[in-house]
Amino acid sequence: MTVSRVPLAEALGEGVVVLDGGLSNQLVDQGCDLSDPLWSARVLADEPGQIEAAHAAYVRAGARVLITGSYQATYEGFARRGVGAAETSALLRRSVELARGAAESGREGTGGPGPRVWVAASVGPYGAMLADGGEYRGRYGLGVRELERFHRPRIEALCEAGPDVLALETVPDADEAEALLRAVEGTGVPVWLSYTITGEATRAGQPLDRALGLLAGHDQVIAAGVNCCDPRDADRTVEIAAAVTGKPVVVYPNSGETWDADARAWHGGSTYDPARVRAWRSAGARLIGGCCRVGPDRIAELAALLGGEADPREQLP
């Protein structure tokens, strides 16, 4: 199997590792309908082959970390569709298995036995389950313990499938970050945590330096940073994350277009410029990719700009 068991944390100590881009936009480009409240989780349940194909497209583009299609996959969300807990657990495990499979199929056409690829199991915020744009607001009216109880069961299900890392992503406020850090305790799986931000604050309005400060003392956290934000906001926040946490920085912003939750549509033009990743790398970024509306073409540009450091092509022994 091509998928590497070399710890991702070790690779981050050696240089930059390229993340994939947005799963949802690639699924749309493949002809999938994401108008359902379950969003990409609907495709995970009904068209798993499309998920694997999307992952494979990013491997061919140069991505060395695949983020699973579990962002919006929750027990509560599937229960509304009449899907029971056991089946939901199986779907969560499937998301990891599909990414593992894509690491093998995606290398076809790259020549040779293929590069190292890691699988990051996506753990989206509580707001993603609400399907109302809540991940861009935070402050759901729930306490840290309630959020921990929400997140722990699916984290445990994802861990059963053996991902290389958990991606605690698009976190809108520090309370949910604290809940997620509690929920991953005892799993033995390393994590990265990335906030979604506006300017230098979380979406809930907390100063980003304070929010990132929660991560500084957690050995289980191998990278800290931001995702699902405007690319221009990422410039300064990479510096903040590196200074506050002392950890490798993860950064994967959106295209720069704006999501209208009411209209369920994107507006504006793309401001994602792969050339700016050089500054991110210099400031401490070690996991670099894209989020919503950043596709394989952009990831290929990013990988090419980062050059050999981002594509070491080491093989498994």
Side-chain angles (χ1 to χ4, degrees):
M1 180 179 286
T2 305
V3 178
S4 176
R5 306 310 295 178
V6 175
L8 180 57
E10 181 179 319
L12 298 181
E14 299 170 357
V16 176
V17 178
V18 176
L19 292 168
D20 59 10
L23 179 63
S24 61
N25 48 268
Q26 180 59 22
L27 291 172
V28 170
D29 287 347
Q30 292 172 192
C32 298
D33 179 7
L34 300 189
S35 61
D36 191 282
L38 284 174
W39 203 41
S40 58
R42 196 280 304 169
V43 184
L44 174 64
D46 299 340
E47 302 176 85
Q50 293 279 18
I51 298 281
E52 186 167 351
H55 288 319
Y58 281 114
V59 177
R60 291 192 297 270
R64 298 300 171 248
V65 178
L66 299 176
I67 302 175
T68 64
S70 51
Y71 174 82
Q72 202 153 338
T74 64
Y75 290 93
E76 292 80 0
F78 279 123
R80 291 195 291 265
R81 288 299 187 86
V83 178
E87 186 176 352
T88 297
S89 294
L91 289 170
L92 288 163
R93 293 191 296 269
R94 173 191 283 178
S95 71
V96 177
E97 293 159 2
L98 290 170
R100 290 265 183 234
E104 181 66 25
S105 63
R107 71 185 175 90
E108 296 175 4
T110 62
R116 304 189 304 183
V117 178
W118 292 266
V119 172
S122 174
V123 181
Y126 179 86
M129 180 273 295
L130 299 176
D132 65 354
E135 63 264 56
Y136 299 121
R137 298 188 302 271
R139 297 304 191 193
Y140 317 112
L142 301 177
V144 171
R145 292 192 180 277
E146 293 171 295
L147 289 169
E148 178 188 355
R149 285 195 294 271
F150 167 79
H151 284 295
R152 186 177 290 276
R154 64 185 182 133
I155 285 172
E156 291 175 346
L158 289 166
C159 288
E160 288 173 3
D164 296 294
V165 61
L166 294 170
L168 314 179
E169 57 178 352
T170 323
V171 181
D173 68 59
D175 286 349
E176 188 156 26
E178 183 179 348
L180 284 162
L181 291 173
R182 291 185 182 184
V184 301
E185 288 179 0
T187 63
V189 179
V191 308
W192 82 61
L193 191 146
S194 51
Y195 287 99
T196 179
I197 62 167
T198 300
E200 295 182 17
T202 67
R203 297 283 187 159
Q206 300 138 332
L208 185 59
D209 56 350
R210 295 182 187 176
L212 285 164
L214 292 173
L215 315 180
H218 287 265
D219 292 339
Q220 194 172 353
V221 179
I222 63 170
V226 296
N227 79 290
C228 206
C229 61
D230 190 295
R232 293 163 293 195
D233 286 340
D235 296 345
R236 170 63 178 145
T237 56
V238 171
E239 300 175 2
I240 294 172
V244 170
T245 70
K247 298 178 182 291
V249 177
V250 55
V251 55
Y252 50 117
N254 294 334
S255 66
E257 297 161 86
T258 302
W259 173 249
D260 184 332
D262 294 328
R264 299 192 66 79
W266 292 92
H267 300 291
S270 174
T271 60
Y272 188 101
D273 179 3
R276 71 196 318 143
V277 303
R278 294 192 180 100
W280 296 344
R281 177 180 57 186
S282 296
R286 293 296 177 266
L287 273 170
I288 304 177
C291 200
C292 300
R293 306 282 284 181
V294 177
D297 289 349
R298 280 285 183 264
I299 296 303
E301 291 178 43
L302 187 156
L305 279 167
L306 290 171
E309 180 180 358
D311 187 15
R313 303 192 67 80
E314 291 123 340
Q315 312 303 322
L316 286 176

